[in-house]
Amino acid sequence: MGMGRGAGSTALGFFQILPVFLCIFPAATSQCKILKCNSEFWAATSGSHHLGTEEAPEFCTALRTYAHCTRRTARTCRGDLAYHSAVHGIDDLMVQHNCSKDGPTSQPRLRTLPPGDSQERSDSPEICHYEKSFHKHSAPPNYTHCGLFGDPHLRTFTDSFQTCKVQGAWPLIDNNYLNVQVTNTPVLPGSLATATTKLTIIFKSFQECVEQKVYQAEMDELPAAFTDGSKNGGDKHGANSLKITEKVSGQHIEIQAKYIGTTIVVRQVGRYLTFAVRMPEEVVNAVEDRDNQGLYLCLRGCPLNQQIDFQTFRSAQGTEGLVGKGPAPSSPEFFTYETAMAKCREKLPVEDLYFQSCVFDLLTTGDVNFTLAAYYAFEDVKMLHSNKDKLHLYERTRELGPGNTAPLGYPRALPALWVAL
């Protein structure tokens, strides 16, 4: 690329040759996300036929965002020529436009309608509807699910299923659009069993759609409004793209964040809270530094030292005579292994991991409300999970995503766990 006054045309020329690289080196369209970075930069800069000096600050902001995107995908794009060509192209454009590498960046943009479409105006409600922002010729978005319930049991965005201790405050989701944090407290004095007693969700301000909004639920308090008393995204043009709906007073609310294609379900079952979310992969992965998102539980799972790894209890098999030594009789109700299984079958006839979680919770807490927590968690999966073939999870299902460090599931011989407990 040449230096000097032809910077606008060279930027266009750079993107005209990118498809050639993508055709010759198709790896860029698999795990390497350089194509996504390219398309976001193209969408941010394609509105002008030429880039004058008055537009340089906006162009430099877009360039820095582009560079940041390439750094996030560097690990999966090593050796990819399309990726390296983009990196060198960014460096050249930074020099041509006298752009500093330090400075403001813009949030990753969701897909917008193609140039010329009457709905493309930045203040249009269409911009604040994630699914409608996909052009009819574009592939539909891929959705993922994460849920937390019970003692607590975590189903991650990669369908890994774990039971964790995680006492105290922990982040479930932390990306460019929203943050979710839960607080777990012991179910019984001196018990390792914990459950969720507080939930905080922060929706970050986004373009012309929503102002920053905070939702907070606590034990025995499940409000149907944000902390400022509102039920939508504020005074912006697309405020109704964020909305809270009360399904059952004090027990069940649903939050629709259409501008990011996200649905959140929060319930209070007994004394404790459950959480479930449906979110596009694009939004899930919109994090500043994915490699350092180790405590983002929905993405990476619980840390190994916080997991109850059922595999370690296999060696205790053969001592089933001790099974059924659940909580002390002074707890809300006393269950044996057999009575716990019978109780859980009333709501969960399939002996999958939700059923096994129900049995585990009854034996460790004696609280029958955990049966309903497992039941409603599975009902939320049926509503929110995009792959109906993956609703039930079993010990045999081992489909961990890249970077997820957690082992999946329970062994089918649960009695060994009860012995250890």
Side-chain angles (χ1 to χ4, degrees):
M1 295 184 183
M3 301 286 289
R5 297 175 61 88
S9 60
T10 58
L12 179 61
F14 172 64
F15 284 96
Q16 287 174 336
I17 65 172
L18 272 176
V20 177
F21 281 101
L22 296 176
C23 291
I24 299 174
F25 307 105
T29 60
S30 57
Q31 290 188 357
C32 178
K33 302 298 183 183
I34 190 61
L35 182 59
K36 177 177 178 291
C37 299
N38 295 340
S39 62
E40 287 178 351
F41 179 69
W42 177 256
T45 59
S46 60
S48 300
H49 295 291
H50 120 225
L51 300 166
T53 56
E54 71 279 0
E55 297 169 292
E58 290 77 10
F59 186 72
C60 289
T61 297
L63 266 180
R64 283 189 289 267
T65 303
Y66 188 18
H68 189 67
C69 184
T70 60
R71 287 195 293 272
R72 290 202 308 267
T73 193
R75 184 171 59 87
T76 56
C77 291
R78 290 172 183 166
D80 187 279
L81 291 186
Y83 163 77
H84 290 289
S85 297
V87 170
H88 291 302
I90 292 169
D91 290 339
D92 287 345
L93 290 174
M94 292 281 250
V95 172
Q96 290 170 19
H97 288 268
N98 295 319
C99 296
S100 170
K101 292 185 178 181
D102 299 321
T105 60
S106 58
Q107 285 190 338
R109 291 180 52 174
L110 301 179
R111 290 177 176 84
T112 56
L113 298 176
D117 194 295
S118 62
Q119 300 294 326
E120 194 189 11
R121 296 178 303 117
S122 63
D123 63 345
S124 169
E126 296 293 321
I127 298 299
C128 301
H129 195 299
Y130 184 80
E131 291 186 354
K132 289 182 179 179
S133 70
F134 281 78
H135 190 248
K136 62 182 179 180
H137 299 302
S138 301
N142 293 321
Y143 287 94
T144 58
H145 163 74
C146 177
L148 187 78
F149 68 97
D151 192 7
H153 309 283
L154 172 71
R155 180 170 180 160
T156 71
F157 284 128
T158 56
D159 287 321
S160 171
F161 197 101
Q162 304 162 11
T163 294
C164 310
K165 292 176 282 187
V166 290
Q167 182 174 336
W170 292 79
L172 275 183
I173 297 174
D174 183 10
N175 61 37
N176 293 337
Y177 303 102
L178 78 163
N179 302 101
V180 181
Q181 179 174 284
V182 293
T183 301
N184 303 311
T185 58
V187 174
L188 297 170
S191 171
L192 292 178
T194 63
T196 302
T197 55
K198 185 176 181 179
L199 172 74
T200 302
I201 307 173
I202 300 175
F203 296 89
K204 301 178 183 179
S205 176
F206 180 73
Q207 294 186 6
E208 292 301 314
C209 303
V210 299
E211 301 169 354
Q212 177 168 300
K213 292 289 178 176
V214 178
Y215 178 80
Q216 191 166 86
E218 297 188 50
M219 189 168 57
D220 298 325
E221 185 178 352
L222 189 69
F226 295 110
T227 55
D228 63 1
S230 65
K231 293 191 174 185
N232 69 2
D235 297 327
K236 291 189 176 181
H237 190 61
N240 285 332
S241 61
L242 176 63
K243 188 180 296 186
I244 294 181
T245 303
E246 186 175 60
K247 298 294 186 178
V248 180
S249 178
Q251 298 179 33
H252 179 192
I253 66 102
E254 183 175 299
I255 303 176
Q256 291 281 350
K258 292 184 177 180
Y259 66 100
I260 50 174
T262 296
T263 300
I264 294 174
V265 175
V266 182
R267 300 178 186 265
Q268 174 159 325
V269 185
R271 301 174 59 221
Y272 303 105
L273 303 174
T274 71
F275 170 85
V277 62
R278 180 179 188 258
M279 184 179 290
E281 287 183 353
E282 181 180 14
V283 177
V284 168
N285 293 313
V287 295
E288 293 299 324
D289 186 355
R290 184 184 175 94
D291 290 337
N292 290 327
Q293 292 291 319
L295 293 181
Y296 176 170
L297 300 187
C298 276
L299 185 64
R300 289 298 184 91
C302 298
L304 288 175
N305 65 353
Q306 292 293 320
Q307 294 177 33
I308 297 177
D309 183 0
F310 293 173
Q311 302 293 339
T312 61
F313 297 104
R314 286 186 182 274
S315 60
Q317 294 176 11
T319 56
E320 297 183 12
L322 296 176
V323 171
K325 301 292 187 182
S330 60
S331 61
E333 190 168 341
F334 180 72
F335 286 93
T336 66
Y337 179 63
E338 291 75 15
T339 58
M341 291 186 68
K343 186 65 177 178
C344 291
R345 284 196 188 100
E346 294 176 6
K347 289 289 186 180
L348 299 160
V350 178
E351 294 190 17
D352 60 0
L353 294 181
Y354 290 89
F355 172 85
Q356 296 179 16
S357 299
C358 172
V359 176
F360 174 85
D361 289 352
L362 289 184
L363 289 171
T364 55
T365 70
D367 187 346
V368 293
N369 287 306
F370 282 100
T371 302
L372 290 176
Y375 168 76
Y376 284 124
F378 186 67
E379 290 298 301
D380 292 338
V381 169
K382 290 194 291 185
M383 180 181 74
L384 300 175
H385 204 293
S386 60
N387 188 340
K388 302 309 178 185
D389 294 329
K390 289 187 176 181
L391 299 183
H392 295 282
L393 292 179
Y394 303 91
E395 190 265 338
R396 294 186 300 274
T397 304
R398 294 180 177 273
E399 299 185 14
L400 295 179
N404 194 314
T405 60
L408 173 65
Y410 302 69
R412 298 189 65 81
L414 278 175
L417 174 59
W418 318 140
V419 172
L421 289 172

